[in-house]
Amino acid sequence: MADIAFLQEMARKIRIEIVKMLAQAGSGHTGGSLSAADIISALYFYKMRHDPKNPSWEKRDRFVLSKGHAAPVLYAALALCGYFDISLLGSLRKLNSPLQGHPCCKSLPGIEVSTGSLGQGLSVANGMALGIRLSGIPARVYCLLGDGEIQEGQVWEAAMTASHYKIDNLCAIIDHNNLQIDGHCTEVMNIEPVDEKFKAFGWNVFTIDGHNMSEIVSALDDAEKIKEKPTMIVAKTIKGKGVSIFEGKAKYHGVAPTKEELEIALKELGDGKN
Amino acid sequence: MAKTECSCQVLEISDLFGKDMATRDAYGATLVELGKQNPNIVVLDADLSCSTKTINFARNFPDRFFNMGVSEQDMMGTAAGLALAGKIPFASTFAIFATGRAWEQIRQSVCYSRANVKIVATHGGITVGEDGATHQSVEDVALMRVIPGMTVIVPADAYETAQALIASAEYNGPVYIRLGRAKVPSVMPKDYNFSIGKAYIFNIGSDVNIIANGIMVAEALKAAQILNAQGINTGVTNFSCVKPIDDEALYKIGKNSKLLITAEEHSIIGGLGSAVAEFICENCPVPIRRIGVNDTFGCSGDAKELLKYYGLTAENIVQLALEYFKK
């Protein structure tokens, strides 16, 4: 059974680390990192079987951050899990840091594949899931996509592949916060109806509130029971979730908090509370 | 899985030495042997398995073959994922689609992650023939050579193709191998041993040295015979491995040449000629002339006609050398 309160608490801690590291870096993607914090908390502190002391454990579940610009949310989770010392988060985006602006699997343990160029992660996740299946390893692969990201054609090639090869050890999640750099997804390039599109491509689709921990946990549990089909969790989220001044603002897609904004953010997130 | 009904020939690897055959046919045969030896080898194709000859592997190992349909970008990403899960994927399609359509997937998902993917592209160059410019890749070597960590190999014949494939399967890292559609003569000797990063020096000439790869090695050997008969001492080296390039061999050849001629079935921009010029200019300057497709698209025609049309023959090499020494 999932400890919902604990997962919510870890999501809060992830958000605190996100705003801290971004403010220190002076650049990076605030909105889409915060919107994914609850999903990432559920994956890393509940659902995924993984071993921070042995990142290359053959039987581990794997996570692909296809929306690689949300690297801070992943770095925060990895640090809180113990993949590396939390002090390393302060080096984000600095020269020679293993914490590259977008995740690099050759520089940081726990990163499965380098991402950042949108639209590529789902194909890689498919390949991992097929490889694991061929090897008879009962592990699962999780892949987090952005909603603006599904405007990339390769996502739909991969969507066909996952259903054609009945990749049921794959669970993808869309962080559906409705905003992309230039504005609302519906205005920039309409992606709706997202759920119907994936259903039409042969996927099992769950639509949930991506900030409701119980719903996230249930969807991840239920996805495991679906056979012969990949599962897509369309998680409705709020960009910048957790910090009122960032919430629902496209501007904070690729902008880091200023000193003043950081203070407000840490206050709202209850930094210092245990 | 492979349900395709096609009548393409299934070849045996038994003895590819001395065989005049298309390098893609050598690929089809070798891949089956590799599949028998290593259960981790998997193959992906983008709806061209009959042309690339991966159909042979598909028939023998249907569970390890993935037809990805007409989607090269997804194929490269999936190959990267398979590699990161411990498999050794061979991903095949035509050279222009492999390297052009999916270039960024190769850069980001494959090479930047150092995924152990072998991209074996067939239908390189203009000898694709009648299909014309859209299907004739004269830019692929340049596109692959520029990516950090990529190994780029352009084998000269069937025997070298088989060896390059075996060496690539053993090597851990991304590799691009460029093969052809048309039949090519056997050029490599029986005692030849391919090794990544090593050139094969047939002989070093004191006047001209021809540095070639792919189908142009055979033309270079013919040209050398003609030039030697005319008193111009000519050598030939097969630089099948464009990256990493064999610095040591290049230096030795450069130091011993009055003229270097590069010859490749590729644009003169960015391929073997460029790689050689870059090294020679910096380390042991000597005049260089490049034979290749002269910054233009291909066109429809018979493969042999096209080689003449674009100036990729022994006669063109001979003419270039004679003109130089006439001065």
Side-chain angles (χ1 to χ4, degrees), chain B:
Chain B
M1 310 289 158
K3 295 181 189 106
T4 323
E5 298 276 329
C6 86
S7 55
C8 62
Q9 233 184 320
V10 180
L11 288 148
E12 293 299 318
I13 193 179
S14 53
D15 194 3
L16 291 173
F17 166 71
K19 285 234 166 83
D20 293 351
M21 66 195 279
T23 49
R24 63 173 168 152
D25 286 320
Y27 175 45
T30 308
L31 204 47
V32 174
E33 288 307 310
L34 284 170
K36 283 182 199 160
Q37 286 160 22
N38 191 340
N40 277 327
I41 287 177
V42 295
V43 175
L44 302 92
D45 204 300
D47 194 35
L48 287 167
S49 62
C50 274
S51 299
T52 63
K53 304 301 172 187
T54 59
I55 188 78
N56 297 2
F57 185 93
R59 282 176 182 160
N60 283 277
F61 311 101
D63 295 342
R64 290 194 268 147
F65 176 77
F66 300 97
N67 199 329
M68 304 304 293
V70 193
S71 61
E72 296 77 15
Q73 301 174 22
D74 183 43
M75 175 170 77
M76 293 307 172
T78 307
L82 281 158
L84 293 167
K87 301 296 169 193
I88 306 171
F90 280 68
S92 290
T93 178
F94 290 180
I96 190 61
F97 310 133
T99 65
R101 188 59 159 265
W103 186 84
E104 209 216 341
Q105 283 73 17
I106 296 173
R107 179 186 188 268
Q108 314 276 20
S109 294
V110 176
C111 291
Y112 187 46
S113 296
R114 208 173 161 76
N116 191 23
V117 175
K118 317 303 167 187
I119 299 162
V120 183
T122 64
H123 295 62
I126 54 167
T127 47
V128 166
E130 293 78 359
D131 275 352
T134 54
H135 286 56
Q136 294 163 337
S137 175
V138 293
E139 306 93 345
D140 54 316
V141 173
L143 288 169
M144 292 296 100
R145 190 168 81 86
V146 77
I147 304 177
M150 182 60 106
T151 293
V152 182
I153 305 167
V154 186
D157 67 4
Y159 190 45
E160 183 171 43
T161 299
Q163 291 197 30
L165 287 163
I166 292 162
S168 298
E170 284 165 4
Y171 167 80
N172 186 9
V175 176
Y176 175 68
I177 301 180
R178 187 226 224 186
L179 305 177
R181 171 177 184 254
K183 193 164 149 181
V184 288
S186 156
V187 288
M188 302 311 285
K190 189 147 199 186
D191 63 354
Y192 174 60
N193 274 311
F194 174 87
S195 157
I196 290 175
K198 284 280 161 219
Y200 180 79
I201 301 173
F202 286 93
N203 62 311
I204 295 183
S206 55
D207 295 319
V208 188
N209 282 290
I210 309 166
I211 290 174
N213 65 19
I215 61 163
M216 293 309 289
V217 175
E219 296 303 308
L221 290 167
K222 273 190 250 168
Q225 225 172 12
I226 298 166
L227 288 168
N228 280 318
Q230 298 190 26
I232 295 174
N233 197 291
T234 306
V236 175
T237 300
N238 174 6
F239 267 81
S240 50
C241 199
V242 182
K243 187 181 179 179
I245 199 138
D246 189 341
D247 287 359
E248 215 177 299
L250 259 186
Y251 191 79
K252 196 166 144 192
I253 297 161
K255 278 283 172 200
N256 284 289
S257 304
K258 295 189 181 100
L259 173 69
L260 280 180
I261 296 177
T262 63
E264 61 195 312
E265 189 196 5
H266 184 273
S267 170
I268 56 164
I269 300 171
L272 177 64
S274 291
V276 169
E278 287 158 16
F279 178 87
I280 293 292
C281 288
E282 285 186 347
N283 297 285
C284 45
V286 56
I288 299 182
R289 296 291 181 270
R290 291 169 297 157
I291 294 253
V293 176
N294 215 338
D295 194 19
T296 182
F297 292 110
C299 66
S300 290
D302 166 80
K304 278 203 177 111
E305 275 175 358
L306 287 169
L307 289 171
K308 273 189 196 150
Y309 185 77
Y310 286 101
L312 303 180
T313 66
E315 291 69 35
N316 295 101
I317 299 172
V318 168
Q319 200 186 344
L320 203 56
L322 291 177
E323 273 167 20
Y324 181 82
F325 286 105
K326 232 187 261 171
K327 277 193 282 184

Side-chain angles (χ1 to χ4, degrees), chain A residues 256-274:
Chain A
T258 62
K259 242 184 178 175
E260 296 71 35
E261 288 167 341
L262 175 65
E263 270 182 44
I264 298 167
L266 290 178
K267 208 170 163 189
E268 287 189 16
L269 292 167
D271 186 32
K273 277 197 294 183
N274 279 317

